[in-house]
Structures are given as structure tokens and as C-alpha cells.
Amino acid sequence: MNKFIVQVNGPAYGSTASFRALKFCQAVVSSGHQVVKVFFYQDGVYNSNALNCPASDEVNLQQMWLSFSQDNHTAIINCVSAALRRGVLSEQDALENGKAHWNSNDTFVMGGLGELVSGIEHADRLVCF
């Protein structure tokens, strides 16, 4: 069994990177391997925006990531610096920065590049989308 860490650099919509990353993760798990964690970086942090509201007949990529995380006990980590630069804030980040609202889904954990590095240490392979 191989252990993977997956880095997602593309947003939920406007690029196929996130969708392809999710399909890769699902294939990894169905093949008997493990996804240690998924690290959302650069525009990938837009995947955690709880205000994403795709039309009812469109793919809800954020919901698919949440289901994947829950079903496979896989941590989904947002790069906090990339998220702050792009206006994606957790409740704690909103409080610390004097903002009245936050928009990051609670399942996504804010973390730094240290989370990526520690994930790489525990994984056999890093795959970026």
C-alpha cells in the first residue's frame, strides 16, 4: 500500500485541476492505497469557500471533497496564507483580522506549508494538480 499526499492548485470551478485531483484520490483509495492528506494551495483554496453555490444540475465539487474527506478520514488542509490573500477566511482568521464574517467550510483546516512538509514526510508520493 502506497501513501499519497495530493496538492490541489486549481479552484473548484474554472479549471479541471480540482476535479482531476478528486478523481485521482478516489482511484487511489479504490486501488487499496491511502491519501494521507489533501493540501489546497494557490487558487486551490477556493475549493473551501462555503459560499460556493453551483446550480442544482451542476457538480458540487466542494461537497464531493467533503464526502471524500469524511468517507476516507482524509484531512483536507488549506494553506492559510494563500487563503487569506484570496479572501477565504476561517472563523478564527476572521476574528484575528477584525472581519465580521468568514467563508471557509469548517471541515477544511487552515495550515501552513509545514502541514505540506509533514505530509510529504509521511507519504510515499506527492502528486500536484
Side-chain angles (χ1 to χ4, degrees), residues 11-32:
Y13 301 101
S15 161
T16 60
S18 180
F19 185 77
R20 289 183 291 120
L22 178 63
K23 290 300 178 186
F24 176 81
C25 290
Q26 291 169 336
V28 163
V29 170
S30 69
S31 299

Side-chain angles (χ1 to χ4, degrees), residues 36-47:
V36 176
K37 65 177 69 171
V38 180
F39 189 81
F40 293 88
Y41 189 53
Q42 297 174 340
D43 285 348
V45 298
Y46 288 126
N47 287 277

Side-chain angles (χ1 to χ4, degrees), residues 1-9 20-22 24-26 28-29 33-41 65 68 74-79 111-129:
M1 177 173 78
N2 288 314
K3 295 180 181 178
F4 292 81
I5 181 167
V6 175
Q7 180 178 321
V8 180
N9 297 326
R20 289 183 291 120
L22 178 63
F24 176 81
C25 290
Q26 291 169 336
V28 163
V29 170
H33 303 291
Q34 180 184 11
V35 178
V36 176
K37 65 177 69 171
V38 180
F39 189 81
F40 293 88
Y41 189 53
W65 276 117
F68 178 81
T74 301
I76 47 179
I77 311 294
N78 247 355
C79 174
L113 289 176
E115 290 286 334
L116 177 62
V117 172
S118 71
I120 291 170
E121 289 176 349
H122 294 97
D124 299 310
R125 292 182 172 89
L126 165 68
V127 181
C128 301
F129 291 87

Side-chain angles (χ1 to χ4, degrees), residues 95-124:
L95 291 172
E96 289 175 1
N97 290 287
K99 303 294 184 184
H101 306 283
W102 58 93
N103 59 347
S104 179
N105 183 289
D106 293 341
T107 304
F108 287 80
V109 175
M110 294 292 188
L113 289 176
E115 290 286 334
L116 177 62
V117 172
S118 71
I120 291 170
E121 289 176 349
H122 294 97
D124 299 310

